Amino acid sequence: EEEELEFQQVEKATSLFNSCKIRHLKSMSKVTSCFDSLVAVSPEDSITAICSQLFEHQLHGVPVVEGGTALSVVTAFRILQYFANNLESKPDFMTSTLAELGIGTYHQILTILRETPLIVVLDVLARRELTSVPVVDDRGVVVDVFTQDDVLSLGCWPDLFDFMEEPLHDVISLIEKDGIQRHKPVPTCRRSETLENIVYRLLTNVGQRSLVCVDSEGHIEGIVSVSDILRFLYEIFISKKKEKK
């Protein structure tokens, strides 16, 4: 009886999906009401207001909603891209270095040893709500960066659970053997590089949202992300706005 009931439920769900059309979704109150509890912005909000939402809620992107309908998603990356593409003249601070501007995070940087079991890495990413984590060897030299894109690629493995105890460097090798395009070389930078160069590198490397700052020997010093740069620009804009008042 249970199997028959389950079969009927599947048949009913299949019939519902086959008969449902896009226009039906607009009239479903359950679909539109789900936006009430979401952090969202409207098409009329300023870039400043959107940045404020991103920073306040520690988000990488927010949905643009109008009349209960999601129109798109605006991300920190897209805002930085807009800023870079619409500069009429280059601000002086763009030629200053990361060290001079103080952009990035340089304290309590989490790293993962390349021998760490995959299950531990996944647990760390989930609990810390991280999108990536630098991978180091036994000398503390950065040898890779394990990202959320790598995690997503694991979802294609039918026998994923058999690899949970495997060291991360072996898992990464298998991902690359599957033909998955990953960041090459390791996305690192130096604190002596200019902001202009860092912005260019972040915007021209597809899928890359942060760079690992290293010293001359490759040891990690910190991380600079798209959000770090956007926050810097936001604070400059806000301070200048207050000065005008």
Side-chain angles (χ1 to χ4, degrees):
E1 292 183 1
E2 290 182 358
E3 291 182 357
E4 178 64 24
L5 178 60
E6 182 179 353
F7 175 77
Q8 292 176 357
Q9 291 173 335
V10 172
E11 283 286 294
K12 187 175 181 180
T14 302
S15 176
L16 176 63
F17 273 99
N18 288 335
S19 62
C20 183
K21 300 184 183 301
I22 296 297
R23 66 172 180 271
H24 296 154
L25 298 179
K26 291 187 176 181
S27 62
M28 294 175 64
S29 59
K30 289 184 178 180
V31 173
T32 57
S33 64
C34 70
F35 294 114
D36 295 340
S37 59
L38 290 178
V39 176
V41 296
S42 80
E44 303 304 318
D45 284 338
S46 67
I47 295 296
T48 307
I50 295 173
C51 287
S52 179
Q53 290 277 30
L54 291 174
F55 301 143
E56 179 182 350
H57 299 282
Q58 297 182 328
L59 300 172
H60 296 289
V62 289
V64 180
V65 177
E66 184 175 35
T69 301
L71 304 178
S72 64
V73 175
V74 60
T75 64
F77 178 85
R78 291 178 66 182
I79 295 174
L80 181 60
Q81 190 176 49
Y82 175 84
F83 171 82
N85 292 338
N86 289 276
L87 282 178
E88 294 183 0
S89 59
K90 183 169 60 180
D92 292 338
F93 60 74
M94 292 297 288
T95 57
S96 298
T97 67
L98 293 180
E100 292 169 340
L101 298 173
I103 299 176
T105 302
Y106 302 96
H107 302 286
Q108 298 180 330
I109 303 299
L110 177 68
T111 59
I112 292 290
L113 287 169
R114 60 198 303 269
E115 293 81 12
T116 305
L118 174 62
I119 191 169
V120 175
V121 179
L122 296 178
D123 179 63
V124 169
L125 289 173
R127 285 191 295 105
R128 300 289 187 92
E129 297 182 346
L130 300 173
T131 57
S132 64
V133 60
V135 182
V136 298
D137 61 16
D138 53 5
R139 299 172 299 158
V141 174
V142 179
V143 294
D144 210 324
V145 176
F146 193 71
T147 71
Q148 60 184 4
D149 290 335
D150 293 321
V151 176
L152 291 175
S153 67
L154 296 177
C156 301
W157 294 10
D159 51 353
L160 173 60
F161 289 103
D162 295 337
F163 293 89
M164 286 298 181
E165 298 297 333
E166 294 296 317
L168 185 60
H169 65 86
D170 286 348
V171 173
I172 290 176
S173 295
L174 290 172
I175 291 175
E176 293 174 342
K177 285 181 180 178
D178 281 347
I180 303 298
Q181 186 175 2
R182 302 182 71 248
H183 40 259
K184 291 291 182 180
V186 180
T188 60
C189 68
R190 300 291 296 276
R191 296 182 71 181
S192 58
E193 291 186 56
T194 65
L195 178 58
E196 180 180 22
N197 186 46
I198 296 298
V199 169
Y200 174 79
R201 290 177 59 189
L202 285 170
L203 295 183
T204 54
N205 284 279
V206 178
Q208 195 62 52
R209 298 296 179 265
S210 62
L211 297 172
V212 182
C213 292
V214 297
D215 61 18
S216 58
E217 297 180 347
H219 298 104
I220 188 168
E221 290 189 329
I223 293 177
V224 58
S225 67
V226 167
S227 294
D228 291 330
I229 297 172
L230 188 60
R231 182 182 290 275
F232 170 78
L233 298 174
Y234 170 80
E235 290 174 351
I236 286 181
F237 178 79
I238 291 298
S239 63
K240 287 188 175 181
K241 193 173 182 180
K242 289 180 179 178
E243 288 176 4
K244 289 182 179 180
K245 291 182 178 180

